Amino acid sequence: QVQLVESGGGMVQAGGSLTLRCAASVSALTGMGWYRQAPGKERELVASIVVDGGPEYGDFVQGRFVIFGDIAKSRVTLQMNGLKSEDTAVYYCNVKIAAQYGGLRDYWGQGTQVTVST
């Protein structure tokens, strides 16, 4: 059973910073990252890292966030700077694991609220 432990999040004023961390209970991950979902909107990629490539960021990040971690140790950190009110959302840790018969399977954390006040 895959368990994801998320930490961080909370409330911050616009322009401030927050750090999100995620640790997975299993190894042999293909990728780790963070997604977010605001009320009335679809879940979208914030940032991710993969075992055999560079980081990927959502278009809205525009250099404000940095993701780093060690997939071999099943840990990832998202440093968010220059937060804006539109960054308010529930942030979900995501891991991807190779499925037994091909493809990737997604696992999700329970989500952590990020609220940016103006």
Side-chain angles (χ1 to χ4, degrees), residues 2-5 22-27 29 32 73-76 93 95:
V2 178
Q3 293 183 333
L4 304 180
V5 178
C22 179
S25 62
V26 297
S27 58
L29 304 177
M32 294 187 75
K73 295 183 178 179
S74 303
R75 296 178 183 273
V76 68
C93 180
V95 299

Side-chain angles (χ1 to χ4, degrees), residues 3-86:
Q3 293 183 333
L4 304 180
V5 178
E6 302 166 334
S7 62
M11 182 178 292
V12 66
Q13 290 188 335
S17 299
L18 285 174
T19 302
L20 303 182
R21 295 182 176 86
C22 179
S25 62
V26 297
S27 58
L29 304 177
T30 299
M32 294 187 75
W34 288 90
Y35 287 70
R36 72 183 188 183
Q37 188 166 19
K41 294 187 177 181
E42 294 185 352
R43 191 171 296 189
E44 61 181 349
L45 171 70
V46 179
S48 66
I49 54 175
V50 294
V51 67
D52 57 355
E56 181 180 1
Y57 294 93
D59 291 340
F60 60 87
V61 170
Q62 298 180 340
R64 298 180 297 132
F65 302 171
V66 178
I67 187 169
F68 56 94
D70 189 340
I71 289 183
K73 295 183 178 179
S74 303
R75 296 178 183 273
V76 68
T77 298
L78 179 66
Q79 178 64 44
M80 302 188 293
N81 303 314
L83 285 162
K84 307 175 182 179
S85 58
E86 51 263 45

